[in-house]
Amino acid sequence: MSGYRIGGQQEKHLSSSISPLAGKPATSAPLVDVARLLAAYRDLVPDPAVPEQRVAFGTSGHRGSSFDRSFNEAHVWAIVQAICEYRKNDGVDGPLFVGIDTHALSEPAFESTLEVLAANGVGTLISKGGEFTPTPAVSHAILRYNSGREHGRADGIVITPSHNPPESGGIKYNPPHGGPADTDATSWIAARANALIEGGLREVKRVTIDVARRADTTREHDFLQEYVADLEHALDLDAIRGASVHMAVDPLGGAGVHYWAAIVERYRLDLTVVSDTVDPTFSFMSLDWDGRIRMDPSSSYAMQRLIGLKDGFDVAFACDTDHDRHGVVTRSAGLMPANHYLATAAEYLFRHRRGWRSDAAVGKTVVSTALIDRIAKRLGRPLLEVPVGFKWFVPGLYDGSLGFGCEESAGASFLAKDGSAWSTDKDGIVAALLAGEMTAKLGRDPGEIYKGITHDLGEPASARIDAAATHAQKAKLSKLTPEQVTSKTLAGEPVIQVQNRAPANNQPIGGIKVISANGWFAARPSGTEDIYKVYGESFKGRDHLDRILEEAQAMVDAALAGS
């Protein structure tokens, strides 16, 4: 195996190979043909007999590309009609908030969404002046509207494929709790949407976009000003301003591109917005590990522009296209690996949020660092370990029993300072600005704070490997069982546990996790892309991690043999 670097750490890859274009300007490779992409959205019709062209909700919504007939007009019409029927059956009769990011396919998908919502008579709130809308702004708006209401509750749709490549499109549903819909909801919506497509869309109610925009049911909502005005309830912005923390943000041409200037103006922060360019080709990016464009703020390959800010600011940060993920650069550590920053955030928040419940838990997914387990134990806080997917954190963030929930892929959210719900979906904006609060309150940047934590609790060496996988391979990997793991040792240590279900809720993790006293690995297919992921971690150093990864490779290769 050869190595590559993420955030200053030596990382290993298994079956994947790093493109020679990784880290180079996006213009080093062909950019997406936006006109052709938009034409394909309108002109190409999915074949429901082809599995890859059916509606399928991954960890957060349905995603695909119009080129592949996996995200086309028919998909959106059918999904939104299914959502209209689902919310009616569920007794949701308040307004529906609609958010949109800056991917090229998001605008036509937004129009398709409005066409169906208006035809179904659903009260719809869209962003004032056509402003883009981050995922957390939609979640926060739902929670704010529903506070104290027993009837007429609101829900939402967010049109985004998150950090996925420019040719991608996506749509997800957030029920009245404000977070991602659970599996029961998404399974029903997907099944109904596929039935509608199979029926030639005859049962889909729809009007023209001009009629939809003029409909009495379509109204504007100022997501930006509402979110920005409330931000002081989630963060100590006075401390950041008082300490004159010198910060920079790269919005990556995403949905929060204009939110940052509004935050600076309202709270008078020393925050430089690196760029407010919006470009559907995302040509300002650097290429990710496989030579493709991804707006992934946790990838050192994709974040070359952000990493270049290391020595010019106390902290710098970026958010992905819908601003539900974050990446943080510090003077001391450069681009912090997601697990490092998440562990640091957990330690800080539970020591500085006096308004939270004393029994509020620390939440993490099964593939997040075990350092968080050690932090929770030291804090005397319960640990909530769930499968990948932010939906599992929603109940706790909603009722205040979970203070902080995080995913290894740089997604997190936490309670407002008084312990109330802030956003039950991932919020990259507050997670990024928290870096400034930490620096202001502790006089050390998050990289330095992390070093102090690992001095006390041990420093993990970790890796995440992404490799291409077919649908068949992903299906096989997701169905692995503990009985298929025959080895009794992992890198020389006895295997303590083999999991295919999460400890907190006994839900399937969609793969397998093998644990020893000082290390673990997990293998699972991606819920959003045609790749699989292998995660590994060791508290005994890099050599021990290498051995863990070698054994993980053998297991994954054996599982996928013959696919």
Side-chain angles (χ1 to χ4, degrees):
M1 293 186 291
S2 59
Y4 60 94
R5 290 187 175 273
I6 294 180
Q9 283 198 101
Q10 182 70 19
E11 300 286 348
K12 298 290 183 178
H13 65 89
L14 303 183
S15 304
S16 61
S17 60
I18 304 305
S19 168
L21 296 176
K24 293 185 177 181
T27 49
S28 301
L31 298 174
V32 65
D33 184 334
V34 174
R36 181 170 160 259
L37 184 74
L38 298 181
Y41 176 81
R42 302 290 186 191
D43 297 341
L44 298 185
V45 178
D47 181 351
V50 179
E52 292 82 359
Q53 296 180 25
R54 293 175 65 82
V55 172
F57 279 70
T59 50
S60 188
H62 172 76
R63 299 178 185 176
S65 173
S66 60
F67 290 147
D68 302 329
R69 300 178 190 248
S70 53
F71 189 87
N72 303 84
E73 192 170 56
H75 293 105
V76 179
W77 283 339
I79 290 169
V80 178
Q81 179 64 42
I83 289 172
C84 291
E85 295 174 12
Y86 178 84
R87 72 192 301 270
K88 182 178 180 180
N89 294 340
D90 203 39
V92 180
D93 55 359
L96 187 145
F97 292 90
V98 179
I100 175 178
D101 79 358
T102 56
H103 276 79
L105 286 174
S106 293
E107 179 62 30
F110 173 72
E111 292 183 351
S112 300
T113 297
L114 288 189
E115 291 169 356
V116 176
L117 292 175
N120 280 272
V122 175
T124 304
L125 295 174
I126 61 176
S127 191
K128 182 180 179 180
E131 181 60 69
F132 303 112
T133 323
T135 285
V138 174
S139 178
H140 183 70
I142 294 170
L143 291 170
R144 197 174 191 267
Y145 184 89
N146 289 341
S147 179
R149 292 179 184 269
E150 293 184 6
H151 306 287
R153 297 178 304 154
D155 52 0
I157 289 174
V158 188
I159 300 167
T160 175
S162 189
H163 63 295
N164 283 15
E167 66 271 19
S168 302
I171 183 169
K172 60 181 180 177
Y173 174 60
N174 287 35
H177 56 51
D182 63 23
T183 305
D184 289 343
T186 56
S187 296
W188 192 95
I189 292 167
R192 177 59 177 152
N194 284 318
L196 289 167
I197 293 172
E198 290 167 353
L201 303 174
R202 287 185 294 273
E203 295 182 73
V204 173
K205 299 177 182 178
R206 182 168 55 87
V207 297
T208 66
I209 185 58
D210 290 338
V211 171
R213 288 188 181 276
R214 294 195 306 267
D216 292 340
T217 52
T218 303
R219 305 187 305 278
E220 288 193 340
H221 179 78
D222 198 340
F223 288 96
L224 188 155
Q225 290 301 328
E226 179 180 88
Y227 179 91
V228 172
D230 286 351
L231 200 55
E232 62 186 352
H233 300 305
L235 296 158
D236 191 343
L237 298 167
D238 291 339
I240 299 175
R241 181 177 60 253
S244 300
V245 181
H246 190 40
M247 302 178 293
V249 60
D250 190 343
L252 302 181
V257 63
H258 300 134
Y259 280 56
W260 296 102
I263 291 169
V264 171
E265 180 180 3
R266 184 178 183 91
Y267 297 106
R268 305 189 308 281
L269 303 181
D270 180 4
L271 174 62
T272 298
V273 181
V274 174
S275 172
D276 60 2
T277 298
V278 175
D279 171 11
T281 70
F282 294 91
S283 60
F284 50 78
M285 293 294 298
S286 51
L287 297 169
D288 205 3
W289 64 274
D290 56 356
R292 301 182 69 191
I293 298 174
R294 283 188 192 83
M295 288 57 71
D296 181 354
S298 65
S299 166
S300 63
Y301 299 112
M303 289 298 104
Q304 288 299 299
R305 186 165 74 176
L306 184 67
I307 292 169
L309 303 176
K310 172 181 177 293
D311 297 322
F313 298 89
D314 296 323
V315 290
F317 32 80
C319 292
D320 70 337
T321 323
D322 69 322
H323 272 47
D324 71 344
R325 302 182 190 225
H326 63 274
V328 174
V329 164
T330 68
R331 292 182 192 270
S332 65
L335 178 64
M336 293 184 69
N339 273 320
H340 292 200
Y341 184 69
L342 294 170
T344 304
E347 170 82 8
Y348 172 83
L349 284 166
F350 283 94
R351 292 190 183 278
H352 291 84
R353 291 297 189 262
R354 305 302 181 192
W356 291 5
R357 285 169 41 172
S358 60
D359 63 344
V362 184
K364 54 162 269 191
T365 58
V366 292
V367 294
S368 300
T369 177
L371 182 60
I372 294 175
D373 304 41
R374 298 185 179 194
I375 289 170
K377 183 177 181 180
R378 179 165 74 168
L379 291 168
R381 294 279 183 168
L383 179 73
L384 184 78
E385 186 173 356
V386 300
V388 173
F390 210 76
K391 61 191 174 188
W392 304 112
F393 296 129
V394 170
L397 290 170
Y398 187 75
D399 67 13
S401 62
L402 179 69
F404 172 79
C406 67
E407 294 184 321
E408 167 275 342
S409 55
S413 191
F414 48 89
L415 299 175
K417 290 185 291 184
D418 65 0
S420 63
W422 166 255
S423 170
T424 47
D425 212 325
K426 298 187 290 287
D427 190 335
I429 298 174
V430 297
L433 283 168
L434 184 67
E437 180 186 325
M438 283 191 256
T439 304
K441 297 290 282 287
L442 300 182
R444 294 173 290 151
D445 71 39
E448 295 169 314
I449 299 168
Y450 178 78
K451 288 182 181 178
I453 295 170
T454 57
H455 178 270
D456 295 339
L457 300 179
E459 182 172 6
S462 60
R464 191 190 90 185
I465 298 94
D466 295 347
T470 65
H471 277 251
Q473 289 174 325
K474 290 171 62 177
K476 183 173 287 189
L477 189 57
S478 70
K479 296 175 182 176
L480 286 178
T481 65
E483 291 74 25
Q484 291 175 266
V485 179
T486 58
S487 176
K488 302 300 181 185
T489 61
L490 177 61
E493 292 188 327
V495 170
I496 296 174
Q497 193 173 14
V498 180
Q499 300 173 343
N500 66 345
R501 292 181 175 272
N505 55 16
N506 199 38
Q507 291 293 323
I509 65 174
I512 204 80
K513 184 175 182 180
V514 180
I515 307 166
S516 68
N518 291 289
W520 59 269
F521 79 81
R524 58 175 297 275
S526 169
T528 59
E529 294 185 85
D530 287 334
I531 59 177
Y532 71 81
K533 302 180 181 184
V534 177
Y535 309 78
E537 186 170 66
S538 169
F539 281 85
K540 295 179 70 175
R542 183 62 52 183
D543 291 343
H544 188 241
L545 175 63
D546 288 346
R547 293 180 62 190
I548 289 174
L549 291 176
E550 288 169 2
E551 294 182 19
Q553 180 180 22
M555 191 199 77
V556 172
D557 287 348
L560 299 183
S563 294

